[in-house]
């Protein structure tokens, strides 16, 4: 766990060994504690080098241990103090990553030498924590308060070059880092009078004062304001500011006491648990499986080096950029000449002149590629035609994928020669930025096709989740009842402002109505027309607020009929200063419109609380999530949560909808749904799904045990 060797005659080389990232689990902490003591008392040893096995220094504390009430083995703070106090120079040899507790370990060393490709950082804030093993106190003393606060609050990875400039690293080298650190440590020994300890004092960060900061009060006030407005209810970023303020104002030992107290408030908090759950949910998608039993570890991906993107609207352009950035050679096809020229300019701008992209107005240009992503207009007839053509044009074995967000993958597959080569690759806008990729398999998609799309997602840096084929797949299927509830709430007396405020306070960056204005109200309108819910498909005399015997809200359709498509037309649920404007203002027209609508339909507006908004919107969405599990469309609640956190901006500190349901308590969610369904019996989305009932009847097991209940439940359906 921590290997000890004496090298070069007098250097104790301590190597952390805990693959894959050398996380500091109990046995590693034990090993570090013992080897530091050994180096201290070994008369042959004059200096110490600390390194990580297999090219990674240390990925920090072991997140898997965090569920424990008290962590076993020696505490990191104790180990780091022992190391800092050592009277022999200690040098960190940093290759790969030094993150979280790994960077705190390096800060407790007297010197830090990094490889030019190394990355350091404090990502704890993403786990609902902050650097609570001395990092919040030592980093500001080394690099100053503003730089330290930025690193701690953002959780970003700092490249070696920047770390050198900040003074976080003493040297950056391109050669073998351990060898360089060994040589460096011996020089320190030669220039330092032996064993007195005094010459190292300036390198013990705990002994140093924080570099002074002018206008400190104003600086921290401003920082706190910024964090409050961005944190959207997350507590960890606020604690980061409090801890760094402690470093700037208190002596080290007092700062450490404050750090301990603050960490105590976060460590087992609901937000920390939710954020840490997200860490593992993000990675769980890679271990995909299909109902056929095909799995990630038994299916091989096809090699892909060339791709074609068909259709260069906003999505197609983003997809082209994402593929090119992943190193593929891309043919971008758009039949409309003016759109092609515009897309070429936009893609070049985004790629800043890099990437291998060629452009063509002709589908024939896709003849030789390994994979196609179709990203044309969301219209089944057009897509079917393109898939037929692609099937004739492309070389045998080309994977044909579609970016459709709702349409039937299997229907598209049936237009092709090789339906097993067809899968969905559902990107999220903007496609070159948003992390999520839903990889949708149809009943005939081959495991190899799924493996290839998943592998490509990984190359693009996406969080890829394999899901089954149904209308809307996982994400949009669950979104439908959420949007529906928001519209019903408007009918009953709420305003877009009230609904959005509740959701934004919950932690979404944008409420549902601001989000609809951003994406364009016409998108859903077109889908509803295709589904025959509105437009010419609706039979004359059909009541406006009922479809297929269920409650229906035509509000979105009426807005579109008024030409209010959202930001793009300058008005939607809100008013904007111009078409394309971004700042939403309340619109008196809308208030009037809603009043008239309610009067026309005999609806009496009532006061609606934020709690009702949250419960109806979120519980309806969660209920559909249980149906998705029940139908086997998603393989696990973790997959659903990853989709929501990385594709729909569900707040990470709430852990995704299914995790949130487990935190609220399944019985309470069930009770809420029962209550709202009784009040609205014509809304099937509010009727609790049978899997939820069964989970509650099974005693509401923790989320990692749901799969057993799901299996039993599905076998009986
Ligand atoms: C008690 C004291 C309290 C506070 C002080 C200290 C707190 C901390 O240190 S919290 C931990 C801070 N560190 C991190 O947040 C780093 C987390 N890891 C990563 O960001 C990445 O893993 C990486 C950048 C280090 C490497 O990325 P990559 O090469 O893409 O690998 P993976 O992310 O797929 O990870 C591989 C494998 O390792 C598991 N893992 C990674 N880090 C940890 C960890 N710190 N603890 C436990 N497990 C870790 C990860 O889950 C992957 O395994 P699975 O595929 O099985 O999930």
């Amino acid at each position: 766990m921590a290997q000890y060797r004496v090298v070069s005659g007098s250097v104790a080389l301590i190597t952390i060994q805990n693959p894959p990232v050398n996380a500091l689990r109990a046995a590693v902490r034990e090993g570090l504690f013992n080897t530091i003591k050994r180096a201290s008392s070994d008369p042959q040893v004059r200096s110490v080098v600390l390194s990580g096995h297999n090219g990674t220094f240390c990925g920090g504390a072991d997140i898997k241990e965090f569920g424990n009430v008290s962590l076993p083995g020696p505490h990191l703070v104790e180990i780091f103090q022992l190391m800092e106090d050592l009277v022999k120079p200690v040098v960190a040899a940093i290759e790969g990553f030094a993150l979280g507790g790994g960077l705190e370990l390096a800060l407790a060393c007297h010197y830090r030498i990094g490889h030019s490709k190394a990355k350091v950082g404090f990502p704890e804030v993403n786990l609902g924590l902050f650097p609570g093993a001395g990092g919040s106190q030592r980093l500001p003393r080394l690099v100053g308060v503003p730089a330290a606060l930025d690193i701690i609050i953002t959780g970003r990875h700092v490249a070696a070059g920047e770390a050198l400039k900040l003074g976080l690293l003493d040297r950056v080298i391109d050669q073998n880092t351990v060898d360089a650190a060994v040589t460096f440590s011996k020089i320190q020994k030669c220039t330092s009078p032996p064993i007195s300890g005094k010459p190292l004092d300036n390198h013990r960060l705990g002994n140093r004062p924080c570099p002074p900061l002018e206008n400190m009060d104003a600086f921290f006030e401003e920082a706190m304001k910024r964090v409050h407005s961005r944190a959207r209810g997350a507590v960890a970023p606020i604690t980061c500011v409090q801890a760094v303020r402690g470093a700037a104002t208190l002596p080290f030992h007092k700062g450490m006491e404050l750090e301990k107290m603050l960490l105590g408030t976060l460590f087992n908090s609901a937000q920390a648990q939710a954020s840490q759950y997200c860490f593992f949910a993000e990675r769980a998608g890679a271990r995909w499986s299909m109902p056929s039993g095909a799995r990630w570890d038994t299916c091989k991906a096809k090699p892909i080096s060339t791709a074609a993107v068909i259709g260069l609207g906003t999505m197609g352009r983003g997809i082209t950029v994402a593929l090119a950035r992943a190193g593929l050679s891309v043919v971008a096809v758009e039949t409309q000449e003016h759109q092609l020229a515009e897309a070429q300019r936009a893609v070049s701008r985004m790629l800043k002149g890099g990437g291998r992209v060629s452009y063509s107005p002709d589908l024939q240009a896709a003849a030789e590629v390994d994979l196609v992503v179709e990203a044309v207009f969301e219209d089944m007839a057009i897509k079917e035609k393109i898939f037929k053509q692609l099937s004739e044009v492309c070389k045998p074995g080309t994977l044909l994928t579609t970016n459709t967000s709702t349409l039937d993958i299997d229907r598209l597959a049936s237009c092709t020669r090789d339906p097993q080569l067809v899968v969905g690759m559902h990107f999220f806008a903007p496609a070159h930025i948003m992390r999520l990729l839903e990889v949708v398999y149809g009943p005939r998609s081959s495991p190899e096709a799924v493996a290839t799309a998943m592998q490509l997602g990984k190359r693009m840096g996406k969080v890829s989740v394999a899901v089954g084929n149904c209308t809307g797949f996982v994400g949009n299927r669950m979104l439908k009842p959420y949007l529906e509830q928001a519209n019903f709430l408007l009918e009953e007396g709420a305003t877009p402002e009230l609904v959005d405020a509740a959701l934004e306070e919950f932690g979404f960056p944008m409420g549902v109505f601001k989000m609809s204005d951003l994406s364009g109200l016409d998108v859903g309108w077109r889908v509803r027309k295709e589904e025959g819910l509105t437009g010419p498909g609706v039979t004359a005399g059909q009541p406006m607020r009922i479809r297929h015997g269920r409650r229906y809200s035509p509000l979105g359709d009426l807005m579109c009929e008024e030409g209010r498509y959202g930001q793009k037309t300058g008005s939607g649920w809100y008013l904007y200063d111009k078409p394309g404007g971004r700042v939403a203002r309340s619109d008196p027209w809308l208030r009037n419109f809603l009043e008239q609508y309610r009067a026309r339909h005999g609806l009496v507006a009532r006061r609606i609380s934020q709690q009702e908004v949250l419960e109806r919107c979120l519980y309806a969405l969660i209920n559909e999530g249980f149906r998705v599990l029940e139908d086997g469309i998603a393989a696990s609640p973790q997959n659903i949560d990853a989709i929501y956190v990385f594709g729909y901006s569900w707040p990470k500190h709430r852990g995704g909808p299914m995790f949130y349901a487990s935190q609220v308590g399944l019985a309470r969610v069930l009770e809420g749904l029962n209550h709202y369904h009784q009040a609205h019996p014509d809304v099937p989305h509010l009727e609790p799904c049978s899997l939820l009932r069964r989970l509650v009847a099974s005693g509401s097991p923790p989320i990692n045990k749901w799969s057993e209940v799901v299996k039993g439940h599905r076998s009986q359906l």
Side-chain angles (χ1 to χ4, degrees), residues 20-21 23-24 56 58-64 66 71 75-76 97 99-102 104 122-124 127 129-133 157 263 267 279-280 283-284 287:
V21 301
L24 297 164
T56 289
C58 175
D62 188 335
I63 306 163
K64 289 185 186 118
F66 282 178
L71 297 178
H75 195 282
L76 288 177
F97 291 101
L99 298 176
E104 290 179 307
F122 279 136
E124 286 90 335
L127 300 169
L129 300 174
F130 73 102
H157 292 176
L263 187 66
F267 199 65
F279 177 85
F280 292 111
R283 285 154 180 82
R287 290 186 284 273

Side-chain angles (χ1 to χ4, degrees), residues 496-514:
E497 291 82 352
L498 173 92
V499 175
D500 282 355
L503 294 166
E504 286 164 20
E505 237 165 73
F506 178 77
F508 283 102
M510 255 184 224
V512 55
F513 291 109
K514 280 193 198 133

Side-chain angles (χ1 to χ4, degrees), residues 34 71 87 141 170 221 233 236-237 251 256 261 295 322-323 356 389 425 429 490 508 566 574:
N34 293 336
L71 297 178
V87 290
R141 287 174 159 79
D170 296 293
E221 243 167 65
M256 289 297 286
M261 187 275 289
R295 288 161 48 99
L323 291 168
R356 288 176 296 154
Q389 287 172 341
M425 286 183 79
L490 288 195
F508 283 102
Y574 293 91

Side-chain angles (χ1 to χ4, degrees), residues 584-648:
R585 278 185 294 127
S586 296
D587 189 352
W589 179 91
L590 189 88
R591 202 164 279 258
N592 230 352
F593 163 78
L594 286 175
E595 274 168 19
Q596 285 175 12
Y597 172 87
R598 291 184 199 119
R600 201 171 341 128
H601 294 283
L603 297 163
V604 180
R606 61 183 173 87
R607 270 184 78 85
I608 290 171
S609 68
Q610 288 212 341
Q611 187 185 342
E612 178 174 351
V613 171
L614 279 189
E615 288 181 349
R616 278 181 58 187
C617 292
L618 301 185
Y619 289 2
L621 179 148
I622 288 165
N623 197 28
E624 195 61 28
F626 282 112
R627 291 204 174 98
V628 159
L629 282 177
E630 192 173 71
D631 295 350
I633 296 294
S636 68
Q638 286 80 3
N639 282 358
I640 295 179
D641 287 331
I643 287 172
Y644 260 81
V645 167
F646 295 100
Y648 295 82

